[in-house]
Amino acid sequence: MEDITLRVARKEDCRRLLELIHELAEYEKAPQEVTVSLAHFEEAGFGPNPVWKAFVATTQEDGKELIVGFALYYVRYSTWKGCRMYLEDLLVTEKWRGKGVGKVLFDQLIVEAKEKQFSGILFQVLEWNTPAINFYKKYATKFDPEWINVSIELS
């Protein structure tokens, strides 16, 4: 894929990443759920104690670099399995879907997980998101219907 370059996200990418996160929230029919500020997002990824890392897929548009997709993850610890990668979000902007960008990003996550000797990669996919489900089925994925998502909102 000659038009796409993959690299690690940088602090100056955060504004664009948040734009893409809002695009994802719109797609998932939950735009009101994105409440993180740019300052918090930057601090969480690039402050003194970063908690997330991301890979970005870029292309050139009008002589400028444009991020067209990203994969953001963090380390999760399982008392049963040890360190595991948790893929929080993988998004390819609509114009670039179906061109292999998601595969390049996901394959990079697998490389990263192996290099860091994680015991696996975990993530969620909405049950109605058939394109994403079909994409993940191309890998050695296991869909687990036994677990229920639970959360407590503190703010």
Side-chain angles (χ1 to χ4, degrees):
M1 182 180 324
E2 61 195 62
D3 294 346
I4 293 296
T5 302
L6 203 63
R7 64 169 172 78
V8 174
R10 301 184 291 246
K11 185 176 181 177
E12 57 267 23
D13 298 329
C14 287
R15 186 172 302 280
R16 174 65 177 153
L17 291 177
L18 270 178
E19 289 174 7
L20 294 176
I21 289 164
H22 282 278
E23 181 179 328
L24 176 61
E26 288 285 338
Y27 177 78
E28 292 184 350
K29 302 172 181 72
Q32 73 285 355
E33 296 296 325
V34 180
T35 59
V36 68
S37 70
L38 177 59
H40 180 82
F41 188 65
E42 288 175 342
E43 179 75 13
F46 300 96
N49 299 302
V51 296
W52 62 262
K53 180 176 178 179
F55 293 102
V56 296
T58 68
T59 191
Q60 291 293 314
E61 188 172 278
D62 298 326
K64 292 183 176 181
E65 181 185 67
L66 176 66
I67 296 172
V68 297
F70 74 95
L72 186 147
Y73 79 88
Y74 55 89
V75 179
R76 176 183 183 266
Y77 189 80
S78 166
T79 55
W80 290 10
K81 305 286 185 182
C83 289
R84 300 169 74 75
M85 175 184 283
Y86 189 87
L87 172 60
E88 179 64 27
D89 284 324
L90 186 145
L91 172 82
V92 176
T93 194
E94 189 172 2
K95 178 181 172 183
W96 280 86
R97 290 182 194 147
K99 298 180 181 182
V101 178
K103 179 180 182 349
V104 171
L105 285 164
F106 200 74
D107 288 349
Q108 182 60 45
L109 290 172
I110 293 169
V111 168
E112 177 92 346
K114 288 179 178 178
E115 285 177 356
K116 293 189 179 292
Q117 299 182 337
F118 296 150
S119 63
I121 302 172
L122 296 116
F123 51 94
Q124 296 172 304
V125 60
L126 289 166
E127 64 185 356
W128 56 260
N129 192 345
T130 306
I133 291 168
N134 290 337
F135 171 79
Y136 294 126
K137 282 182 177 178
K138 296 174 185 173
Y139 294 85
T141 51
K142 175 185 154 194
F143 292 81
D144 189 343
E146 292 182 16
W147 291 88
I148 297 171
N149 290 320
V150 180
S151 69
I152 297 173
E153 299 298 325
L154 298 176
S155 54

